[in-house]
Amino acid sequence: MKAVILSAGMGTRFKSEKPKVLHTILGKPMLWYVLQTVKNSGVEDIGVVIGHRAEEVKKAVEDEMVSFYYQKNPKGGTADALISSADMWRSYEGYVLVINGDTPLVRSSTLKNMQRYISMVEEYERVKLSALVLTSFLPDPTGYGRVVKDGEGSVIKIVEEKEASFEEKKINEVNGGVYIFYAPHLLECVFCVKPSNSGELYLTDIFNLMYQKGYKTRTFMAEDPTEILGVNTRWDLAVAENVIRLRILQHWAEKGNTIHQPESVWIEPHVSLDGNVEIYPNVMLTGKTKIGKNCVIGKGSIIENSVIEDDVLIEPYSVIRKSKVMSKAHIGPFAHIRDESAVGEESHIGNFVEVKKSVIERDVKAKHLAYIGDAHIGNNTNIGAGVVFANFDGKKKHQTHVGSNAFVGSNSLLIAPLKVGDFAYIAGGSVVNKDVPDGDLAISRPSLKLLKGKGKEKLT
Ligand code: UD1
Ligand code: MG
C-alpha cells in the first residue's frame, strides 16, 4: 500500500499566514501527527502534496523519508491535489491510502483495520473494492461531506455541505477525509471529476463516478467519532489538541503514573515517564523531557527538554529547561534551573534560586534567593540566602569554581572569574573579588558601630 497526504490547501478558515497543517498540537505540527499515524499503520511509501507555502511545509517534515508532490493551484481542490501526486500511483496495481492533512485524530489502528477490511473483501468476496471511505455518524454533521448510500451499502455519492439539498443535509453519516482507493480505478475516475460551483475539483465526486461505472465502494465506520474531526478553524485545533493531550495522559496513567486534575496537565508526545511519577495540576512537560521513577512534580512546574532522574522532588512552580537533575535531588518551590545545568544527587535548590549553565555536585544546599551562573560547586557546599554569582562584567561571562565542603554566607557577592577552595568559609555579606584558598576564611564587611540610645531617639 502507498499513501498520499493532502497538505497543499490555503486553510482560509484558519485566518493564518502560516500553513494550516503547520499549526502545532502539543508542540508538533498537525501534519506530523497525520504522518506518524500513516507510518504506524505500516505504510512506508508516503507522498505529501504541498502547494500553499510549500517550502515551509516541506521543511517541517523533510527528515521523515517522504516524497513531495507540488499542487500548482492550491485552490484547485482535493481531487486536483491528489492528481498532483499521480506519478506516484499511475502505474501501480495496488491500493493507495489518501488522507487529509487536517485530520490529526485518526488512529493508526483504524487505518490498519481499513487495510485489513480491503484484504478481507478481496479474499472472501473475490472482488477489488474500488474505494473505502472512513465515516462516522455525528449528531451535528455541519461542514462535513454527507455520505449518500444505496440499500446495499454502496456509496452513491458524497455531497459537500455547500452543495447538499435540504434532505441531504439531514444525513448524519459524514466523510472523515480518509480513503483507500484501488489505484487503477482511481486513475480512471479522478481525471473525470468536473469543477464544482466554487471551481474546485472535489475528491469526493469520485464516489459518484465510481458508482456510475458499477465499481464497488464501501464505508468504514470509525470506532470513535472524535477520530474524524477535520481541523478547519482555530477552535477545531483547540479541540483536537485537547483530545490528543488526554490520550497522552491516559497512556501514562495506564503505565502506572498518577496525574492529578488531568484537564490542566500538558505532556508533549516525546516526553517519557518511568513509572510511579506523581504529577500535580498545571504541570507542563515539553520536548524530549525524561522523568525517572517515583518523582513528584509539583503544581505549576514547567520542565522542558530535561532529564530528571529517579526519586526527585520538584516542589510547586519550578522551571527547569535543558538541564539534568540527579536522583533524590530536591527542587523548589519557585526554583529556575536552565541552560545545560546539572544538579547533583540529594542536592537542594530552593525558593527563588536561579541556576544557569552551572554544575552543582552532590549534597549541595542553595535553599533561598540566590543566583548561580556559570559556576561549578563541589560536594556538600552550602550557598546561603541571597548569594549572587556576578558572572558578567558588562562584556563577557566568567566562571566561578567553588570547592567541596565550602560555606558561602548569606548575601555574599562572588565576582567571577573566581576560585573558592575546599573547606573555604565566606562570611555573610562579603564581596569576594580574590580567590580564596582551601580552608581559609574570607570576610569583607565594614565594621558595625553601636550608638547608644540613638535608635529610640529616631523612633520617638
Ligand atoms: C473535506 C471533504 C469533506 C470531508 C472533510 C473531512 C472534499 C471536497 N471534502 O472537506 O467531504 O467531510 O474533508 O475533514 O474533499 N487540500 C489540498 N489542496 C486543495 C484543497 C485542499 O491539498 O486544493 C488539502 C488541505 O490542505 C487539507 C485537506 O486537503 O489538508 C482537506 O481540505 P479542506 O479544505 O480542509 O476540506 P474540507 O472542507 O474540510
Ligand atoms: Mg478540512
Side-chain angles (χ1 to χ4, degrees), residues 22-129:
L22 295 190
H23 280 261
T24 60
I25 291 177
L26 293 150
K28 288 273 172 195
M30 193 194 312
L31 178 58
W32 179 84
Y33 289 89
V34 177
L35 202 50
Q36 298 313 307
T37 306
V38 172
K39 282 187 176 174
N40 293 338
S41 80
V43 182
E44 284 167 6
D45 190 357
I46 303 171
V48 179
V49 181
I50 52 180
H52 175 60
R53 302 182 83 134
E55 293 314 308
E56 287 165 54
V57 180
K58 188 175 177 184
K59 199 155 175 261
V61 288
E62 67 190 352
D63 299 336
E64 299 277 351
M65 311 282 285
V66 295
S67 334
F68 294 97
Y69 297 91
Y70 288 83
Q71 183 185 8
K72 284 203 189 79
N73 172 13
K75 279 185 176 167
T78 43
D80 184 56
L82 185 55
I83 287 170
S84 313
S85 71
D87 285 349
M88 189 178 177
W89 41 265
R90 198 187 295 277
S91 36
Y92 180 53
E93 285 281 324
Y95 290 94
V96 185
L97 169 75
V98 177
I99 180 165
N100 287 351
D102 66 349
T103 55
L105 299 185
V106 175
R107 292 177 193 270
S108 54
S109 56
T110 300
L111 298 187
K112 273 190 198 152
N113 288 338
M114 285 177 77
Q115 292 166 30
R116 213 169 286 145
Y117 184 83
I118 293 266
S119 329
M120 279 169 66
V121 172
E122 273 203 8
E123 196 178 332
Y124 296 111
E125 299 182 33
R126 306 223 164 269
V127 285
K128 293 221 179 308
L129 262 190

Side-chain angles (χ1 to χ4, degrees), residues 248-270:
I248 292 174
L249 296 181
Q250 186 178 359
H251 166 83
W252 290 119
E254 281 166 4
K255 292 239 171 207
N257 302 282
T258 300
I259 296 159
H260 298 282
Q261 212 182 73
E263 63 273 27
S264 71
V265 174
W266 172 289
I267 299 183
E268 293 188 355
H270 288 311

Side-chain angles (χ1 to χ4, degrees), residues 169-236:
K169 278 191 180 147
K170 286 193 207 153
I171 297 172
N172 59 4
E173 183 171 12
V174 302
N175 168 21
V178 181
Y179 323 82
I180 296 180
F181 292 109
Y182 179 55
H185 294 175
L186 172 66
L187 189 68
E188 237 178 88
C189 299
V190 75
F191 288 98
C192 302
V193 171
K194 301 250 161 38
S196 66
N197 295 341
S198 64
E200 286 186 26
L201 300 178
Y202 289 159
L203 179 54
T204 41
D205 284 353
I206 285 184
F207 284 84
N208 190 245
L209 292 167
M210 286 181 165
Y211 190 74
Q212 284 171 26
K213 281 187 183 283
Y215 288 155
K216 222 176 172 55
T217 62
R218 295 255 173 90
T219 56
F220 188 90
M221 191 155 17
E223 247 171 68
D224 154 13
T226 56
E227 274 190 73
I228 64 130
L229 177 83
V231 176
N232 295 318
T233 65
R234 307 260 187 162
W235 185 247
D236 293 335

Side-chain angles (χ1 to χ4, degrees), residues 339-358:
D339 288 356
E340 277 141 23
S341 290
V343 176
E345 281 181 35
E346 300 193 41
S347 287
H348 184 176
I349 304 299
N351 308 254
F352 304 102
V353 174
E354 179 177 356
V355 178
K356 182 231 135 186
K357 232 185 206 167
S358 295

Side-chain angles (χ1 to χ4, degrees), residues 259-315:
I259 296 159
H260 298 282
Q261 212 182 73
E263 63 273 27
S264 71
V265 174
W266 172 289
I267 299 183
E268 293 188 355
H270 288 311
V271 170
S272 68
L273 311 182
D274 283 353
N276 201 34
V277 175
E278 186 144 14
I279 296 178
Y280 282 87
N282 298 101
V283 162
M284 275 185 100
L285 305 178
T286 71
K288 293 191 173 148
T289 292
K290 282 176 178 293
I291 310 282
K293 287 194 194 75
N294 312 320
C295 290
V296 176
I297 320 285
K299 184 171 178 174
S301 293
I302 299 174
I303 308 179
E304 191 183 292
N305 285 313
S306 295
V307 175
I308 313 295
E309 291 188 347
D310 298 346
D311 304 297
V312 169
L313 168 63
I314 297 174
E315 293 209 63

